[in-house]
Amino acid sequence: MNYVLIGVNHRTAPVEVREQFAIPEARLPEAVKALTSCAGVEEGMIVSTCNRVEILARTSDGGTCLDEFFHGFYGIDPDRYRAHLYEHRDRDAVRHVFRVAASLDSMIVGEPQILGQVKEAYAIARAVGTVNSQLDALLTRAFAVAKRVRNETAVATSAVSVASVAVDLAKKIFGNLQGKSIYLVGAGKMSELAARHLLAHGAEQIYVSNRTHDRAIALARKFNGEALPFDQLYETVSLADIVITSTGAPHAIFRKEHGERFLSRRRNRPMFFIDIAVPRDVDPDMNKLDGVFVYDIDDLQQVVTSHVADRRVEADHAEAIVQLEVDKFQARLQTLDVVPTIVSLQEHLETVRQAEIDRVRGRLGTLSPEQELAVEALTRGIVNKIMHTPITTLKSAARESSEATTVIDLVRRLFGLRELKTAVKEDEAAVGGGKTRTRG
Amino acid sequence: MGFMPLIWLRVAVVCYGVGLLYSLLLLSKKGNLLAKIVEPAVGLGLIFHFVSLVESTILIGHLSLASIHYSESLLAFLAMVVFFVFFVGYRTTSPGIVIFPIVFVLTFASAIGQHPVTLTSPLLRNGWIFVHVVLIFTGYAGLFLSFGASLLYLAQERALKSKSKTALLTWLPPLQTIDDIGYRALLFGFPFMTFGIVTGSVLAIERYGAMFFSDPKILLSFIMWAVYMLLLYTRWSSGWRGRRAAFLATFAFVIAICAWIANNFSRVHRFIPS
């Protein structure tokens, strides 16, 4: 395999360290070129996001380390950051790439951006030509694994922020948010965020009201909405389907009797109160009215918490899938590993057979066609019998990760086959440097 | 009933059985198991059902309501058609949770009938009677669907209010969608029910005179129609939904069942000559 991966992420390094290694997108092509120009590096790509930098390479032997790249490109002595850097090789590197792509290594497990970021990094490296057959195989597989994890587990389905839970709930009540209106009572970072989310999901009209009318006007301008005077709050709130409250009032400003009035004015069309204020702005009794749904900050937070817990459970399923996929990937690589050996073994014995026939031909005199066939069958039979055990052993060794290399070496030594490296080079020359997935 | 139509009907019952199972699994929150096959299954059931109805009509040689099993089968068929009309509009199978069991029971009862109650009145060959029944049954189908939707509305409302995790269960469509389905199903069924009752009344007056009104089934049908109208009116005038609408819909549904049972006591519907 000979994959090497070195990286920092949000868990191993604080932002001061991560920013030392972050590479802006514009510099990525240059960076991957620098990476592949290091001695022993055959292929390489780099993923750089705000939470992680992953430097992935395939080396010609297992031993190459990427220190040269750190000195050359970053001008940093990696030893200074050794505590923050993690390094994975071969199987572990494959596993890490799969986990990153499947968003299992993310700060918020299951967040969807990372896959896109990895795909982008891959596209950049491909465009520059630093990704060839083996990294290509790895990344293609990683994308498939990410897709499988997304399809087969619920790791990415539930909302894990207060604002997105609010959107989910609004959708559960109103279906489509198209044409729905929002009323912001009071201002605050969280309520603004919730409003922004709702607008992004199709809500159209937004009204703002605040004890200080100037602030309402400023906020309304920000959202392209309408500021309404605070003293007309009870008359105007029923205009909105979704009410987000976050005033500093010491007691509830919306009580059950208000709710009844709103409902009759709305002809019983449902209303959704999102109460972000502490102390609460909406009397919990309001929730008892048919068609009024009240969620306070704790209710929302509770949904978030339970979703986060769900994601953790789902992440366990996902990890199992990744493990399985790593095994499959490795098995496939190893089968590919033994194929060239089998082929050269067959070629070798066939050459021996031909040479021997040619050698004794003169002594045999003229043969009848039947005799010709018999000689052919006899020699072929012997060769096949001899080849049988080594080939089955190779094939079964391919399935056992620890054995494969030993058995390949052994068979090559026993039969005096060409050195693998020269063989591969010749093969590559023969197919014009195409995709030969052989051991490098 | 001939042999082949019964075979087709039984095939349809098996297909609807998938729907029934789907409903039960949904209730136990394991709905995803059958979600992929439920639509084709009940769709296939509908086709077999249609074939069965057509064949039995051809076999008898005329539109026949003489057998009670045929009527049950027809009612189930129409309920399923209405379900599919709404399925095409809203892409949700969730009203099926109520519709599928009703359809299954009706079709099943119809398919196992060995000795159908047969009414011999020549009146039943009358095309107008057939129109009357189809109209009424389509009205029933709309009412069934609306009833189903109102139950789902209650379930969804409760889930949202309880603030439990189930609030975000994905198998139920949004409250608004359920509400739309319930209301539109009512609107859809109402003209059918109205014209069904009008044609029935005209036919009955023609044959029995004004006394038909004291017939229990007819009385129940009129009450049901009144509740139906009340449902529509409260919805239209003050937007009643949720608990109150579900209560009325359940009431209408129960009367509909009673009216169905009242067939056994109704002189008019057993076509006993006056």
Side-chain angles (χ1 to χ4, degrees), chain B residues 83-138:
Chain B
F83 167 80
F84 262 98
V85 168
F86 279 83
F87 173 72
V88 168
Y90 291 92
R91 308 308 303 176
T92 170
T93 50
S94 52
I97 198 170
V98 177
I99 293 295
F100 293 160
I102 295 177
V103 166
F104 178 80
V105 168
L106 284 172
T107 325
F108 184 72
S110 168
I112 56 157
Q114 296 298 326
H115 304 289
V117 182
T118 311
L119 305 168
T120 48
S121 167
L123 242 186
L124 284 170
R125 295 173 176 237
N126 186 328
W128 278 106
I129 291 274
F130 192 77
V131 171
H132 160 67
V133 170
V134 168
L135 286 173
I136 288 269
F137 280 6
T138 310

Side-chain angles (χ1 to χ4, degrees), chain A residues 243-406:
Chain A
V243 182
I244 306 172
T245 68
S246 59
T247 74
H251 46 73
I253 54 173
F254 295 115
R255 286 186 306 276
K256 204 173 167 188
E257 58 267 28
H258 298 127
E260 277 162 0
R261 256 188 283 148
F262 300 154
L263 278 178
S264 79
R265 235 178 281 149
R266 290 171 60 79
R267 296 217 321 206
N268 288 311
R269 272 179 299 126
M271 272 182 107
F272 180 27
F273 284 87
I274 302 167
D275 184 0
I276 293 170
V278 179
R280 285 176 293 181
D281 279 342
V282 184
D283 185 348
D285 269 357
M286 224 19 181
N287 196 42
K288 288 180 186 150
L289 291 173
D290 277 359
V292 176
F293 302 91
V294 183
Y295 274 73
D296 62 40
I297 186 69
D298 270 15
D299 299 332
L300 295 171
Q301 203 67 59
Q302 211 177 322
V303 178
V304 169
T305 318
S306 81
H307 285 177
V308 170
D310 286 353
R311 281 199 179 191
R312 236 170 261 142
V313 173
E314 288 300 320
D316 288 346
H317 296 305
E319 295 284 359
I321 291 176
V322 165
Q323 198 58 41
L324 219 79
E325 289 285 349
V326 171
D327 289 345
K328 257 166 68 183
F329 184 73
Q330 193 172 24
R332 216 187 67 191
L333 278 188
Q334 273 157 4
T335 320
L336 292 174
D337 276 355
V338 300
V339 167
T341 305
I342 293 175
V343 170
S344 46
L345 178 63
Q346 284 166 331
E347 283 168 358
H348 170 68
L349 291 184
E350 177 64 18
T351 340
V352 171
R353 190 181 71 89
Q354 286 294 346
E356 288 306 297
I357 290 179
D358 290 348
R359 205 164 56 79
V360 297
R361 172 134 308 197
R363 271 184 276 158
L364 287 172
T366 12
L367 296 171
S368 70
E370 289 81 23
Q371 287 170 319
E372 191 83 61
L373 278 177
V375 169
E376 186 77 16
L378 171 73
T379 49
R380 248 181 223 290
I382 294 172
V383 164
N384 284 345
K385 279 266 155 61
I386 294 171
M387 270 198 306
H388 179 76
T389 324
I391 286 178
T392 41
T393 315
L394 274 170
K395 280 184 178 163
S396 67
R399 275 172 247 130
E400 296 287 325
S401 55
S402 52
E403 272 182 34
T405 354
T406 337

Side-chain angles (χ1 to χ4, degrees), chain A residues 212-242:
Chain A
T212 332
H213 193 60
D214 289 344
R215 285 191 69 185
I217 292 170
L219 197 56
R221 200 171 293 138
K222 213 156 138 190
F223 283 113
N224 211 358
E226 197 178 325
L228 297 169
F230 196 73
D231 52 7
Q232 286 169 28
L233 183 63
Y234 293 112
E235 285 71 47
T236 50
V237 153
S238 53
L239 288 171
D241 303 290
I242 302 163

